[in-house]
Amino acid sequence: MTYSKCRVCREPAIIDLPRHNANFCAEHLLQLCRRQVQKAISDHDMLSFDDKILVAVSGGKDSLAVWDILTELGYRADGLYVGLGIGDYSDISYDFTAAFAGERGLDLQTIDLRGEYGYDVPTAAKVTKRVPCSACGLSKRHLFDKAALDGGYDVVVTGHNLDDEAAVLFGNALRWDVEYLARQFPVLPARPGFPKKVKPLVRLTEREMAAWCIVRGIDYQVEECPMALGNKHLAYKEALNAIERESPGSKSAFYLNFVDKMAPILAGHSQAASGELNDCAVCGSPTTGETCAFCRLQDRVSGREPVPVELVLNKKARKAYLAAQSAAEE
Ligand code: AMP
Ligand code: FES
Ligand code: ZN
Ligand code: ZN
């Protein structure tokens, strides 16, 4: 599809961005993305050129794009991929990540949950009877922190974009969950036992990141995680997209104004960030109890027979998953 003219150079545009009320050619789309990342970094003091940076890469568009942008801007950034054992989805995600790193000569560390910790996300979901994203998120957070501290990294970068953050904010605001709201900022400073964590893509949307990857020739995992199908997060994204269509710019105003205006008001309201912490008796990570949530999960699920992905999906998600599998086999 071609749109009229690029706002900057008047050459034919490749994308329209209603929230900027403008169209952009490939070159100026890249420029816009770079500038938004630089603005997020400088507004929130996210990164410095001396930092040793660890980018958590899932093989999806956002994390590959943020790794690409940071490297292009001159930051020193290695990648970290966690193999979650979610069937073909994980295998394919790894292939995209490894190909990206290999083509660019970037360093990629990998952690395999089943190989190193004796479990995978579907099995953990089945045993704990919780939604898969809960064991998944807990495992990822723990492993990102550990890899960063063990490897002497100054900061962990994730690829969360404006759509992700606005959807999480929407969910937290629907419940007025002050504890979560108080931690939902694009930078979490380092604390004893925790590395600094930053989200440089918070000013950019999913669509802009997909366009970045297409223009830059980056192949990425297009599929959503099969375990996330039908979760609330996706429903919140759709709700915000409906509002955005009626009123372009609302999504970024909702999230970015929250960050600007609520950060000072909510500062200090997170108990998790301010409470007393002990060292986990098993792994030494900070925890409020005796053993940390990761070690408790591992203790419960490690060594169990692997459970196939389709067995932990609800009916609707299983149907979509099996249909996608048979389409892929044809
Ligand atoms: P998600 O929680 O899947 O929305 O992913 C949010 C961010 O977490 C991504 O942009 C990545 O930075 C990181 N991430 C997700 N999955 C993985 C993974 N398997 N390995 C490393 N990083 C990941
Ligand atoms: Fe974590 Fe799907 S990536 S449950
Ligand atoms: Zn242009
Ligand atoms: Zn522990």
Side-chain angles (χ1 to χ4, degrees):
M1 195 176 352
T2 51
Y3 300 93
S4 43
K5 292 199 167 91
C6 170
R7 172 160 90 185
V8 186
C9 68
R10 313 308 300 163
E11 291 295 313
I14 59 152
I15 190 167
D16 71 319
L17 298 180
R19 77 186 171 109
H20 294 289
N21 194 19
N23 308 312
F24 293 89
C25 71
E27 182 191 335
H28 291 112
L29 170 79
L30 297 186
Q31 183 188 68
L32 177 138
C33 293
R34 273 183 216 110
R35 286 185 178 167
Q36 293 293 342
V37 168
Q38 284 168 316
K39 178 158 172 52
I41 292 175
S42 72
D43 281 358
H44 301 287
D45 204 6
M46 288 185 177
L47 302 170
S48 88
F49 287 104
D50 299 327
D51 281 342
K52 195 176 160 199
I53 299 167
L54 187 62
V55 184
V57 261
S58 64
K61 59 187 181 325
D62 306 300
S63 49
L64 289 176
V66 76
W67 199 7
D68 189 39
I69 297 172
L70 293 181
T71 311
E72 211 206 16
L73 290 173
Y75 291 96
R76 294 188 299 155
D78 296 342
L80 168 67
Y81 174 82
V82 178
L84 302 163
I86 307 175
D88 292 348
Y89 171 78
S90 288
D91 297 340
I92 295 169
S93 303
Y94 173 72
D95 292 344
F96 284 118
T97 308
F100 176 89
E103 281 159 18
R104 288 160 181 79
L106 296 170
D107 282 336
L108 175 67
Q109 299 183 28
T110 57
I111 299 173
D112 181 55
L113 256 190
R114 180 148 289 277
E116 295 175 45
Y117 295 93
Y119 74 96
D120 50 54
V121 166
T123 311
K126 183 84 185 162
V127 175
T128 58
K129 301 197 182 74
R130 301 270 306 274
V131 287
C133 299
S134 132
C136 177
L138 187 157
S139 306
K140 283 190 293 201
R141 279 192 300 278
H142 178 87
L143 295 171
F144 295 169
D145 291 351
K146 179 171 161 37
L149 296 174
D150 290 354
Y153 289 92
D154 297 296
V155 50
V156 173
V157 165
T158 53
H160 293 96
N161 58 37
L162 177 60
D163 296 77
D164 296 323
E165 294 305 291
V168 173
L169 175 61
F170 194 51
N172 290 338
L174 282 176
R175 292 182 296 276
W176 292 117
D177 194 329
V178 173
E179 178 63 33
Y180 281 112
L181 289 168
R183 277 184 283 154
Q184 215 206 317
F185 295 109
V187 174
L188 285 180
R191 290 182 291 141
F194 294 109
K196 179 176 178 182
K197 287 183 221 170
V198 305
K199 299 172 181 172
L201 298 186
V202 287
R203 305 184 60 89
L204 289 160
T205 63
E206 269 178 11
R207 190 159 161 263
E208 288 151 10
M209 290 299 87
W212 173 279
C213 288
I214 291 166
V215 172
R216 294 276 294 162
I218 299 171
D219 290 327
Y220 60 88
Q221 168 65 286
V222 177
E223 301 299 325
E224 288 281 351
C225 167
M227 321 222 68
L229 287 170
N231 75 10
K232 283 194 198 132
H233 186 68
L234 293 181
Y236 296 152
K237 275 190 179 174
E238 279 167 26
L240 287 169
N241 285 341
I243 296 170
E244 179 72 15
R245 275 193 296 278
E246 290 301 315
S247 170
S250 332
K251 198 192 292 174
S252 62
F254 176 57
Y255 176 71
L256 297 173
N257 288 344
F258 164 78
V259 171
D260 281 351
K261 297 181 181 170
M262 295 303 286
I265 296 172
L266 287 169
H269 277 74
S270 165
Q271 289 184 343
S274 57
E276 280 285 306
L277 296 173
N278 320 307
D279 293 344
C280 167
V282 181
C283 73
S285 300
T287 174
T288 47
E290 215 165 277
T291 35
C292 74
F294 179 82
C295 290
R296 291 200 305 273
L297 175 70
Q298 195 195 353
D299 187 49
R300 236 177 122 188
V301 300
S302 184
R304 301 278 190 129
E305 223 12 60
V307 173
V309 173
E310 57 269 28
L311 285 191
V312 282
L313 302 178
N314 64 30
K315 218 167 152 193
K316 193 171 151 205
R318 187 179 315 138
K319 210 170 146 197
Y321 177 72
L322 293 174
Q325 289 251 301
S326 61
E329 276 159 20
E330 269 165 22

